[in-house]
Amino acid sequence: MEIQKRLQEEFHLRKEQVENTIKLIDEGNTIPFIARYRKELTGSLDDQVLRELSERLAYLRGLEKRKEEVVALIDGQGKLTDELAQAIGQANTMTEVDDLYRPYRPKRKTRASVAKEKGLEPLAELIVHQDHKINVTAEAEKFITEEVPDAQSAIAGALDIIAERVSDDAALRKELRAHMMRQGKLSAKAVDPEAESVYTMYYDYSEPVLKIAGHRVLAVDRGEREGFLKVGIDVEEGPALRLISSRFVTGKGEASGLVLQACEDSYSRLIFPSLEREIRSYLTEKADEQAIRVFSENLGKLLMQPPVKDCVTLGLDPAYRTGCKIAVVDGTGKVLETTVIYPTPPQNKVEEAKRKLKALIEKYHVTVISIGNGTASRESEAFVADLIREIPTPVSYMVVSEAGASVYSASKLAAEEFPDYDVSLRSAVSIARRLQDPLAELVKIDPKAIGVGQYQHDMPKAQLDAALGGVVEQCVNTVGVDLNTASQPLLARVAGINASVAKNIVSYREENGAFQNRKELMKVPKLGAKAFTQCAGFLRIPGGKNVLDYTGVHPESYQAAEGLLKECSFELSDVADQKIGDLKERASEIGLSTLSERLGIGVPTLQDIIAELLKPGRDPRDELPKPLLRSDVLELKDLKPGMELKGTVRNVIDFGAFVDIGVHEDGLVHISQLADRFVKHPLDVVSVGDIVTVWVLDVDVKRKRIGLTMKKPAGSK
């Protein structure tokens, strides 16, 4: 109940929303299914909120479990008090629980534990008491043994015990941690100031802990790992020592002086190094979270790019010595023909390459060319632009990111899909299909290899995989999947379907022919009733016997959908014939509340059914702006400051956005150039795939860098 209450407060949700959502998650329902088909129970929470709530629920449950473990461990030592149990119960984070457990945690051999083994704990207690009448040295002489040769050794051991006790004080650590967060600075210094590296801007660098941007944290972390930087937390020592002494030094005698000495040792040797590691871990963790969030948003936008549908597409994988690999695919992605041309150095067989491509374009009625953006891309783009000018029929082209194409081409999956093609020809097919349907093609590739993130190889693998996997799953289920044409990797991303079940679906399809209806899924091995419930609504059957199988209406709502049509004086056949254009108006005349009561469904589900019936098989990507196709090419030397251009946002990072303006190199719009107002993060203004108007700020031909702005210059029309 406590966890549920915290979730209500943190997410600003009603009690029943959280209660129902927790129950749905615990029952094993997938996030896409809950978001799409259980809106009445969740109050129409979307995928993102549901995922965040699910992650927070897991953390809080883990926290409660840890609290129980710590209480049991301390109780097992016979040291649990009511006050300590209460403090553990009220802890809000794992760090707080660990701080409270620290004094009772079994430690490896420390200076304090060695001193305790020598019997010096009573002397430590005597010193901590700070009675100014006591002669500490005289008392210490009573502890001289074979292992403790003199009074000074005894006092030193006692101070080690006190220092560890100071370090283990949970309340003190909490205050010092907060102090270091408020006042500390993350600093970086060069290991070798003369060494050349990409980290030169961090060779003498310092920034407040509370203000440093995540991408700079990740940069100095990497610089440290690669041996170029020494990184640490700088904080003034005086305030921390005053805070510690105010807690532990209670007098002015000899013993008090020794306690102060122990406090100083505790801070420099134990507390500061420990908290420094904690704060750096915290900064890295937050930077990772931010980077993963940006990566996830970029990936989602990339996957949801509008497909260039029903176009015969020519995929061109550029190269120099080995030639450009060509693949022509039809509107469904089926390969029609492949070849290799050599228009680039060293062969430079430009005219021969033109003849080959002109013949393919004429033979298959190619309307668009998809060019990979890798090696020799600029030369290939110039060649294609020149070719287009010589063709009487309209043909356009687009440069697409080929990130991950080589990974896919060399994979087992690609070998199974194209056993007769070599790796490079598979890349050409993938490049063509990326333009036709980015989602269907990119799901075959590890999201980390798609190249729309920052420092992705430095991220915690499990956390990154979970986040990106959730994005892919959300996109696939938002669009829906054609059950009779979808690849195994695409099917595996559908809610409720894992890799083995996806493989079984494909095998069943190959053995029995196309699925005729959704119910037939129940015949697929290992796809039980639970999996059917989760996946059925996201799988589409175009041209099936029941038009509802081509919509996002879940089979559990078929009866309600048919009832709705009847209430509004329509037949199921009218849906297939698209003769229900005024369904929404007729439903409104009757009243959505009235209809929902008659049909036994909630209003949100009713609204979703109406939307699906009006557009069977609708693809939400079709409503987005179309990709920017080109027919001519620019070169870096053509760019001049002030020039106005249209471009496509290719990547969004913490400090700006990279925009493809038809030159081989993407231009950078720095965060300060995104708008005429303060921009907290570039994602607040632009997303991957956006078509934007930019103006050239500056061009560095030597370093191949282009500075752009989205602020309209004075005097521009």
Side-chain angles (χ1 to χ4, degrees):
M1 186 59 70
E2 181 62 32
I3 289 177
Q4 183 180 309
K5 190 174 180 183
R6 283 192 65 175
L7 291 173
Q8 286 172 224
E9 293 171 354
E10 290 178 12
F11 287 85
H12 308 290
L13 300 174
R14 300 188 306 276
K15 177 184 175 182
E16 61 271 20
Q17 282 180 289
V18 176
E19 198 173 77
N20 291 338
T21 300
I22 291 174
K23 186 180 179 185
L24 287 165
I25 291 170
D26 288 345
E27 288 172 350
N29 293 290
T30 62
I31 296 299
F33 174 80
I34 296 172
R36 180 69 174 80
Y37 297 112
R38 292 296 180 263
K39 290 181 178 178
E40 285 78 10
L41 292 175
T42 69
S44 297
L45 297 181
D46 64 24
D47 291 63
Q48 186 176 343
V49 173
L50 288 169
R51 287 186 195 283
E52 289 173 2
L53 192 149
S54 178
E55 289 168 7
R56 186 63 176 154
L57 173 64
Y59 177 86
L60 292 175
R61 284 177 168 173
L63 178 62
E64 290 305 309
K65 185 179 178 182
R66 180 60 178 158
K67 288 180 183 179
E68 291 170 7
E69 290 171 353
V70 166
V71 167
L73 288 166
I74 298 174
D75 195 30
Q77 297 175 25
K79 297 178 181 178
L80 186 68
T81 63
D82 290 343
E83 292 80 11
L84 182 55
Q86 185 179 9
I88 294 170
Q90 292 174 347
N92 289 317
T93 65
M94 293 285 189
T95 300
E96 288 181 34
V97 174
D98 287 342
D99 279 351
L100 292 164
Y101 179 47
R102 177 180 286 271
Y104 310 96
R105 181 189 290 120
K107 293 181 172 66
R108 57 181 175 76
K109 199 169 188 178
T110 64
R111 281 164 49 171
S113 66
V114 170
K116 288 176 183 178
E117 289 171 5
K118 293 177 180 179
L120 296 173
E121 203 158 10
L123 179 60
E125 291 292 344
L126 193 71
I127 295 171
V128 166
H129 191 59
Q130 300 178 57
D131 187 341
H132 67 278
K133 297 177 183 178
I134 291 174
N135 184 322
V136 177
T137 303
E139 292 296 328
E141 288 174 352
K142 298 175 184 178
F143 292 87
I144 294 175
T145 63
E146 190 175 318
E147 292 182 309
V148 185
D150 51 45
Q152 289 308 310
S153 298
I155 292 171
L159 296 188
D160 285 340
I161 294 171
I162 296 169
E164 187 168 272
R165 188 179 299 179
V166 170
S167 174
D168 285 346
D169 187 290
L172 174 66
R173 291 181 73 87
K174 186 174 182 179
E175 280 195 57
L176 287 173
R177 186 183 294 112
H179 167 72
M180 286 178 68
M181 287 293 293
R182 286 193 307 270
Q183 303 298 326
K185 293 182 177 181
L186 184 72
S187 68
K189 301 285 184 185
V191 172
D192 177 6
E194 302 301 319
E196 289 189 15
S197 76
V198 295
Y199 306 106
T200 51
M201 71 171 287
Y202 298 110
Y203 277 9
D204 187 13
Y205 175 80
S206 179
E207 189 169 0
V209 165
L210 291 179
K211 292 185 178 179
I212 188 166
H215 65 274
R216 289 199 282 275
V217 172
L218 297 176
V220 298
D221 282 354
R222 184 183 284 182
E224 184 180 44
R225 281 195 305 275
E226 294 180 4
F228 290 101
L229 302 175
K230 290 180 290 188
V231 185
I233 303 292
D234 289 341
V235 66
E236 193 179 343
E237 196 175 74
L241 291 176
R242 286 194 291 274
L243 177 63
I244 299 170
S245 62
S246 69
R247 281 178 172 272
F248 290 95
V249 180
T250 58
K252 294 184 178 179
E254 180 187 7
S256 295
L258 290 170
V259 171
L260 177 59
Q261 186 180 323
C263 288
E264 292 171 347
D265 174 54
S266 179
Y267 178 74
S268 62
R269 181 170 58 87
L270 301 173
I271 298 174
F272 179 79
S274 173
L275 292 182
E276 182 181 43
R277 286 191 298 272
E278 276 188 32
I279 291 171
R280 287 204 56 198
S281 294
Y282 168 82
L283 289 175
T284 300
E285 183 182 317
K286 291 299 175 186
D288 286 344
E289 288 176 4
Q290 168 69 0
I292 289 172
R293 183 181 76 84
V294 173
F295 197 154
S296 297
E297 291 220 22
N298 286 343
L299 177 63
K301 295 294 185 181
L302 180 65
L303 293 176
M304 292 297 285
Q305 283 298 286
V308 179
K309 292 182 176 178
D310 305 321
C311 290
V312 179
T313 303
L314 187 149
L316 190 155
D317 183 12
Y320 288 118
R321 183 180 54 81
T322 56
C324 301
K325 314 308 181 295
I326 304 297
V328 179
V329 301
D330 69 11
T332 67
K334 178 185 175 184
V335 181
L336 300 174
E337 191 171 332
T338 63
T339 189
V340 182
I341 58 174
Y342 300 90
T344 56
Q347 286 89 343
N348 293 313
K349 297 179 180 179
V350 176
E351 293 308 316
E352 178 187 294
K354 283 184 178 180
R355 283 196 301 274
K356 278 191 176 183
L357 289 199
K358 285 177 181 177
L360 288 173
I361 290 168
E362 185 178 352
K363 180 179 179 181
Y364 296 109
H365 307 292
V366 173
T367 57
V368 64
I369 298 173
S370 180
I371 306 171
N373 69 341
T375 305
S377 172
R378 187 178 66 81
E379 292 85 351
S380 299
E381 185 181 359
F383 162 75
V384 167
D386 194 40
L387 171 74
I388 287 173
R389 284 192 284 268
E390 298 177 10
I391 297 174
T393 54
V395 177
S396 52
Y397 76 85
M398 182 173 176
V399 177
V400 301
S401 169
E402 61 180 56
S406 59
V407 176
Y408 160 72
S409 301
S411 68
K412 182 182 177 184
L413 172 65
E416 290 173 353
E417 195 172 3
F418 302 112
D420 300 329
Y421 298 155
D422 67 19
V423 170
S424 55
L425 285 174
R426 293 172 194 160
S427 287
V429 176
S430 180
I431 287 167
R433 289 178 170 180
R434 284 182 184 212
L435 187 60
Q436 289 185 319
D437 192 340
L439 179 60
E441 193 61 24
L442 292 174
V443 292
K444 301 174 183 176
I445 300 163
D446 180 349
K448 294 192 293 297
I450 292 176
V452 286
Q454 190 180 12
Y455 296 103
Q456 57 260 42
H457 301 296
D458 298 343
M459 300 297 103
K461 186 177 185 305
Q463 192 178 340
L464 181 61
D465 287 349
L468 299 186
V471 171
V472 177
E473 182 184 54
Q474 179 183 343
C475 292
V476 169
N477 290 286
T478 297
V479 172
V481 171
D482 185 334
L483 182 57
N484 286 321
T485 62
S487 65
Q488 183 181 323
L490 190 58
L491 287 166
R493 296 292 189 170
V494 174
I497 296 178
N498 57 31
S500 62
V501 172
K503 187 175 182 180
N504 290 342
I505 290 174
V506 173
S507 297
Y508 181 90
R509 198 170 65 197
E510 290 171 350
E511 292 170 10
N512 300 281
F515 285 87
Q516 298 303 307
N517 55 64
R518 282 170 168 165
K519 287 183 181 178
E520 197 178 343
L521 275 165
M522 297 293 287
K523 297 177 182 178
V524 173
K526 295 184 181 179
L527 199 157
K530 180 77 176 179
F532 177 81
T533 299
Q534 299 298 307
C535 74
F538 303 111
L539 296 169
R540 311 278 191 266
I541 303 178
K545 294 179 180 178
N546 186 342
V547 70
L548 295 179
D549 287 337
Y550 188 37
T551 71
V553 177
H554 197 282
E556 66 186 10
S557 297
Y558 279 10
Q559 187 175 344
E562 291 168 5
L564 167 66
L565 290 168
K566 187 175 181 181
E567 290 280 350
C568 295
S569 304
F570 289 114
E571 301 288 337
L572 205 54
S573 58
D574 294 329
V575 178
D577 296 335
Q578 295 188 352
K579 294 179 179 178
I580 58 166
D582 59 345
L583 173 64
K584 192 173 182 179
E585 289 73 16
R586 294 191 192 185
S588 296
E589 287 173 8
I590 299 170
L592 296 184
S593 297
T594 302
L595 276 173
S596 69
E597 286 178 20
R598 290 180 189 173
L599 300 172
I601 56 175
V603 171
T605 296
L606 174 60
Q607 290 172 321
D608 284 345
I609 290 173
I610 292 171
E612 291 294 334
L613 292 177
L614 285 170
K615 292 184 178 180
R618 70 191 179 106
D619 187 335
R621 297 174 298 174
D622 292 342
E623 297 165 14
L624 300 171
K626 298 303 177 188
L628 185 61
L629 300 175
R630 301 184 183 278
S631 59
D632 206 350
V633 65
L634 278 173
E635 291 188 34
L636 201 61
K637 62 182 177 61
D638 298 329
L639 300 180
K640 298 289 183 284
M643 186 181 286
E644 181 180 329
L645 299 161
K646 284 278 187 185
T648 305
V649 177
R650 292 299 181 203
N651 198 5
V652 181
I653 51 179
D654 286 342
F655 56 83
F658 286 99
V659 179
D660 172 9
I661 54 172
V663 182
H664 184 58
E665 291 77 19
D666 290 343
L668 173 65
V669 182
H670 188 267
I671 188 170
S672 61
Q673 296 296 326
L674 285 169
D676 289 315
R677 57 181 172 80
F678 172 74
V679 177
K680 188 174 182 181
H681 194 278
L683 284 171
D684 297 335
V685 179
V686 291
S687 300
V688 168
D690 284 356
I691 308 299
V692 295
T693 300
V694 295
W695 289 265
V696 177
L697 276 180
D698 53 73
V699 181
D700 186 336
V701 176
K702 185 177 179 182
R703 298 168 72 187
K704 296 183 177 179
R705 290 185 178 178
I706 306 165
L708 303 172
T709 181
M710 286 172 56
K711 296 178 181 180
K712 189 174 182 179
S716 296
K717 293 181 180 180

